[in-house]
Amino acid sequence: MLTCFQGLMLDPVYWTVLAVSSIAAAVALWTLKFQKFQAKVYYALTFVGMIWTLMMVGAEAATTPYQCQMRQAQLAWLGHGLVPVAWSFFIFDYVGPSNRARGRLSLLALIAIPLGAFGLAATNDWHHLVYTAETAIPPDGDQITFLHGPGYFLILAVLYCFVMATLVWLGRAFSRAKRAAWPLLTMLLAITLTPLAANAAYAFFGFTVLGLDPTSFMFTLGILAFSWLLVTNKTMDMPSVGQSTLFDTMSEPLILLDARRHIVRSNAAAKRSGLLSEPEFATDLIAGIEAQINDADAPHIACNERLYEPRVHPIENPLAPAGPGIGWSVTFVDVTEQIATTTALEQALKEADEANRAKDEFISVVSHELRTPLTSLKGGLALALSGKLGEVKGPLRSSLDIAHRNGVRLSRLVDNILLVQKLEVQALSLEWLPVDLPALLKESIEENRMYAHERGVRLDIGELGQPAVILGDAFAIRQVVDNLVSNAVKFSNVGATVEGTLTTNNGRVRISITDKGRGIPEGMEERVFGRFGQLDDDGQKSTQGSGLGLHISRQLARQMAGDLFYESEVGVGSTFHVEFGLGAASNPTPQGDEDTLQQTA
């Protein structure tokens, strides 16, 4: 065996083959390390088979004994069988979708076909199917003249099946690929066809290169060219293709300018928009943008009935980031709908504000206009009922009583509406004086006993705790407490008890009014404290009233740096708490018209 390798290092043909193989190995390693593409495993196996074939063919050419040449030729079949199979699977996955189901089949083919070809060639001395018995070194030569048998052509037929499948796959790729990918596919087609033609010329016509089978040399040149194409061509480079696709499919017009402010690229949206045909952009797009914005006094550019907001970003020089840039990217964001929506919203808000102002003015005028006749009406009815104008008896008195009660209710509703308006615009002036809360609670309970008695409800004073004095408006606080007490009485069943308590904790004082009524369902706070809000009871209003009492009470409490809230359980009852800070510092009160606070209902 050693005699077969003697003299190899002195043979120029072997040195040539070794150089080509080394270059191929270096290119393969570099490509595999630094390039990202589909089917790299098959690509690497193609290089392995190609380099193995080159080495064996070169060794065959550099040796002289018949047995040595035959041994190298037989070993070369490992590469002959691997290259077309690996290349075909590389093409299948590189230009088409990857097929995981093909994995086992490809592995079987990659192992079985090279080993089968080598096994048939290695046992040629027994059957002479690959090379006939006439294969020998001619008397006037030093290289074997191979005479091919049927086994040789059988191996070629199997390998040509993979080559043909590769050509069919490339043909399908041509039919579906964009024109930008055609140069790459043409290169792949040439790499596949060139060794095929060289092998056919060698097998059928005896064509050689340096006296050797030209197939591996031609395939090597093709693979090296393809490797260079992988480095320079971006057709299959995902980042490059993705960036290009993103650039062209953006909905906003996008334009790239070089350092001389010339347009070097624009996407499809920019071409459709008509911006490139704007006369102001003819010589200097950035200057045209600045001029239009300055003239319009708005960051918008109008074109074809659309409004665009230009966003200019300089592109820095990667070799000198701190120096002048190499160009600009200009994105035109279509803001037509946004501006239209904003304009419509502003108009709607303006109209709503005007309508709200008109409503408030209407309510204020009507309420003020109702006050004077209502006062006269109540006064006249009260005077008639007093008997000073004569005795009133029977049905007439009953009718006058009803009219008087309704007049009082209507007058109270008008006062409450006016009070709500003043609270919402903070136009109500409140006094800021010391208020004794325990005494205030006692007074409220005592003065509401008659009202509670009429409804069959008992009023009690519970725990009052230590003395508690706060700064606030005594009349406003009394109105809040009276409203809570009257509400608790209205929502209590006959025979129930309403209790008022006062507690202090952490510098805060709290008055709590507890009833044993039906309770308030969860999630009803907005309705309880809302304007004109009342709770339904089996589809019927529980009590009569304007629904403004609790709303006014909470606003009054909060205007005096306090708060009003409740705790409730359906079927058990409710507790309303009004809370203030003990000894709160003086707080500036809103200035406005003075108004008398009326008891709310």
Side-chain angles (χ1 to χ4, degrees):
M1 187 66 182
L2 292 175
T3 58
C4 294
F5 294 97
Q6 292 177 356
L8 285 182
M9 304 307 294
L10 300 177
D11 189 272
V13 174
Y14 187 76
W15 271 103
T16 301
V17 172
L18 186 63
V20 174
S21 300
S22 299
I23 293 173
V27 171
L29 291 174
W30 189 90
T31 304
L32 293 172
K33 180 175 178 60
F34 296 104
Q35 294 295 307
K36 294 181 179 180
F37 55 91
Q38 189 75 9
K40 290 177 71 172
V41 173
Y42 299 127
Y43 181 79
L45 289 176
T46 302
F47 262 97
V48 170
M50 181 183 67
I51 293 171
W52 175 266
T53 302
L54 282 175
M55 297 296 293
M56 293 303 103
V57 171
E60 175 190 341
T63 55
T64 54
Y66 173 85
Q67 291 297 330
C68 291
Q69 292 186 36
M70 181 57 71
R71 181 65 56 82
Q72 305 299 339
Q74 292 169 342
L75 288 171
W77 278 105
L78 288 171
H80 289 321
L82 179 60
V83 168
V85 177
W87 179 252
S88 65
F89 286 124
F90 168 71
I91 295 297
F92 294 161
D93 280 359
Y94 186 72
V95 303
S98 179
N99 189 347
R100 295 183 180 273
R102 198 168 49 227
R104 292 185 178 180
L105 178 63
S106 61
L107 180 61
L108 178 63
L110 288 168
I111 295 175
I113 293 177
L115 290 179
F118 170 70
L120 195 60
T123 57
N124 187 72
D125 292 342
W126 301 345
H127 47 69
H128 295 291
L129 294 175
V130 179
Y131 305 115
T132 65
E134 288 75 20
T135 297
I137 299 177
D140 56 346
D142 55 3
Q143 294 294 316
I144 295 178
T145 299
F146 292 97
L147 298 178
H148 304 127
Y152 176 85
F153 294 101
L154 175 62
I155 297 174
L156 287 187
V158 174
L159 297 180
Y160 277 21
C161 287
F162 284 89
V163 176
M164 292 299 109
T166 303
L167 294 176
V168 171
W169 203 258
L170 287 172
R172 291 178 59 186
F174 264 106
S175 66
R176 65 173 180 263
K178 295 183 178 180
R179 289 184 178 272
W182 283 11
L184 175 66
L185 295 175
T186 302
M187 172 64 75
L188 296 173
L189 186 64
I191 295 172
T192 305
L193 287 176
T194 302
L196 177 65
N199 183 260
Y202 170 73
F204 296 103
F205 304 106
F207 175 73
T208 62
V209 175
L210 299 176
L212 303 174
D213 183 350
T215 306
S216 56
F217 288 99
M218 300 304 295
F219 196 79
T220 301
L221 292 177
I223 286 290
L224 292 177
F226 175 69
S227 298
W228 173 252
L229 191 65
L230 277 177
V231 176
T232 58
N233 190 283
K234 301 300 183 182
T235 304
M236 298 293 286
D237 180 23
M238 182 56 205
S240 177
V241 173
Q243 291 174 9
S244 178
T245 301
L246 181 62
F247 181 88
D248 288 324
T249 57
M250 283 182 62
S251 59
E252 288 87 7
L254 178 59
I255 298 172
L256 298 181
L257 308 175
D258 60 16
R260 295 175 296 174
R261 300 192 173 187
H262 293 166
I263 298 175
V264 295
R265 187 175 179 184
S266 59
N267 66 355
K271 297 171 183 175
R272 291 193 303 267
S273 67
L275 288 165
L276 299 182
S277 59
E278 282 288 300
E280 292 82 357
F281 299 161
T283 56
D284 191 333
L285 186 140
I286 294 180
I289 290 174
E290 293 174 349
Q292 284 205 29
I293 291 176
N294 292 334
D295 291 343
D297 197 24
H300 306 133
I301 292 177
C303 181
N304 292 337
E305 299 182 353
R306 308 295 295 179
L307 295 176
Y308 297 94
E309 181 181 313
R311 299 177 182 176
V312 182
H313 299 280
I315 302 174
E316 67 178 18
N317 187 340
L319 298 179
I326 60 175
W328 295 266
S329 71
V330 184
T331 305
F332 293 87
V333 180
D334 191 335
V335 293
T336 307
E337 282 76 16
Q338 178 183 341
I339 292 177
T341 302
T342 302
T343 303
L345 180 60
E346 290 175 350
Q347 181 63 25
L349 291 174
K350 181 179 179 182
E351 293 175 357
D353 186 58
E354 292 176 353
N356 192 54
R357 189 181 304 110
K359 177 208 67 173
D360 290 341
E361 290 177 358
F362 173 77
I363 292 175
S364 179
V365 169
V366 170
S367 299
H368 280 291
E369 290 297 323
L370 285 174
R371 263 187 164 182
T372 300
L374 278 174
T375 301
S376 300
L377 179 63
K378 288 191 300 178
L381 290 171
L383 184 61
L385 289 171
S386 68
K388 292 181 180 180
L389 299 179
E391 188 176 0
V392 181
K393 297 181 180 181
L396 180 59
R397 185 175 187 86
S398 177
S399 298
L400 292 177
D401 281 333
I402 294 174
H404 184 261
R405 287 197 300 271
N406 287 331
V408 171
R409 287 179 56 208
L410 184 57
S411 177
R412 187 176 298 164
L413 174 60
V414 171
D415 290 337
N416 284 341
I417 292 174
L418 292 173
L419 181 56
V420 167
Q421 284 187 294
K422 289 182 178 293
L423 286 170
E424 288 185 349
V425 298
Q426 295 185 345
L428 180 68
S429 275
L430 297 177
E431 293 182 344
W432 207 259
L433 300 172
V435 178
D436 185 349
L437 285 187
L440 186 145
L441 177 59
K442 291 179 182 179
E443 291 175 1
S444 177
I445 294 293
E446 292 301 326
E447 293 184 12
N448 279 281
R449 285 193 188 279
M450 182 60 69
Y451 171 68
H453 178 72
E454 292 174 355
R455 301 186 67 93
V457 177
R458 179 181 175 184
L459 281 180
D460 279 347
I461 298 179
E463 178 186 357
L464 292 183
Q466 61 186 12
V469 177
I470 67 167
L471 293 178
D473 189 300
F475 197 85
I477 298 173
R478 173 63 186 274
Q479 180 172 348
V480 173
V481 176
D482 283 348
N483 185 52
L484 296 182
V485 172
S486 64
N487 273 355
V489 171
K490 284 189 294 185
F491 286 97
S492 295
N493 299 320
V494 175
T497 299
V498 172
E499 183 180 58
T501 59
L502 185 145
T503 56
T504 57
N505 186 31
N506 294 327
R508 305 284 290 178
V509 58
R510 174 186 297 180
I511 294 176
S512 303
I513 308 298
T514 303
D515 66 65
K516 304 299 181 181
R518 59 193 172 114
I520 303 172
E522 292 185 6
M524 301 298 291
E525 182 175 2
E526 184 175 349
R527 188 168 181 181
V528 168
F529 291 112
R531 289 191 300 176
F532 305 104
Q534 289 194 0
L535 299 180
D536 295 337
D537 185 8
D538 297 329
Q540 302 295 326
K541 294 294 182 181
S542 59
T543 60
Q544 294 180 338
S546 65
L548 292 172
L550 289 175
H551 175 76
I552 292 174
S553 297
R554 173 178 266 193
Q555 296 301 317
L556 287 173
R558 288 182 173 178
Q559 192 163 335
M560 292 181 287
D563 198 8
L564 175 61
F565 54 97
Y566 68 88
E567 298 173 310
S568 184
E569 184 177 351
V570 176
V572 177
S574 306
T575 300
F576 279 78
H577 307 283
V578 59
E579 188 174 89
F580 301 97
L582 272 172
S586 178
N587 188 38
T589 58
Q591 297 300 315
D593 297 335
E594 295 285 345
D595 199 3
T596 303
L597 298 175
Q598 303 293 330
Q599 182 176 350
T600 59

